[in-house]
Amino acid sequence: MFKHVETLRVRWVDTDAYGRIHYTAAFQYFEIAEWELFRRAGIPLRGHEGEFGLPRKEVTATFHETITVDDKLAVHIEPERIGNTSLTLTIEVFKEGRNCISVKVTVVFVGKD
């Protein structure tokens, strides 16, 4: 198994009225890291739409520490479990070496039939 680290910076549009990251933006960061992991693994990002899909079955996120506008983040992602029809990913979002968000995502392989 391998790991990917995606470096991102929190944009103003990603924050709420208090300047803290909005949870929906965090979920976009998780997906950016996920697709880059898939790209590195050779999983096609396009051209499979009529053949199979990779919907999310379950996502859990625990926010440990505040993230604010212009913070530089390192989103660490790696497969935790590879099953017959599903994949569970572990994601951790770090700011200045501190774990700010811990995430589990279960992705399910769904064929056209």
Side-chain angles (χ1 to χ4, degrees):
M1 298 222 211
F2 57 94
K3 185 177 198 175
H4 174 72
V5 178
E6 187 72 22
T7 303
L8 302 166
R9 191 169 293 277
V10 178
R11 299 165 299 170
W12 181 255
V13 69
D14 296 338
T15 62
D16 62 17
Y18 300 101
R20 296 182 301 235
I21 190 172
H22 192 273
Y23 75 95
T24 57
F27 278 72
Q28 290 176 5
Y29 298 167
F30 311 155
E31 188 167 5
I32 290 167
E34 178 183 317
W35 282 104
E36 291 306 318
L37 176 77
F38 288 168
R39 183 187 317 279
R40 287 189 56 216
I43 298 171
L45 303 178
R46 299 288 320 224
H48 60 75
E49 295 83 0
E51 298 299 317
F52 68 90
L54 298 168
R56 299 330 159 254
K57 178 182 180 231
E58 183 175 6
V59 179
T60 60
T62 303
F63 292 76
H64 306 290
E65 200 170 311
T66 301
I67 296 172
T68 58
V69 68
D70 208 37
D71 283 344
K72 186 176 178 183
L73 305 177
V75 183
H76 294 239
I77 183 169
E78 64 183 316
E80 177 182 288
R81 180 186 164 281
I82 300 175
N84 292 327
T85 59
S86 67
L87 168 67
T88 300
L89 302 166
T90 297
I91 303 169
E92 294 180 310
V93 179
F94 291 90
K95 173 182 77 174
E96 299 173 357
R98 297 185 312 275
N99 185 353
C100 298
I101 310 171
S102 298
V103 184
K104 297 279 185 203
V105 177
T106 301
V107 180
V108 179
F109 177 86
V110 177
K112 66 179 179 178
D113 297 327

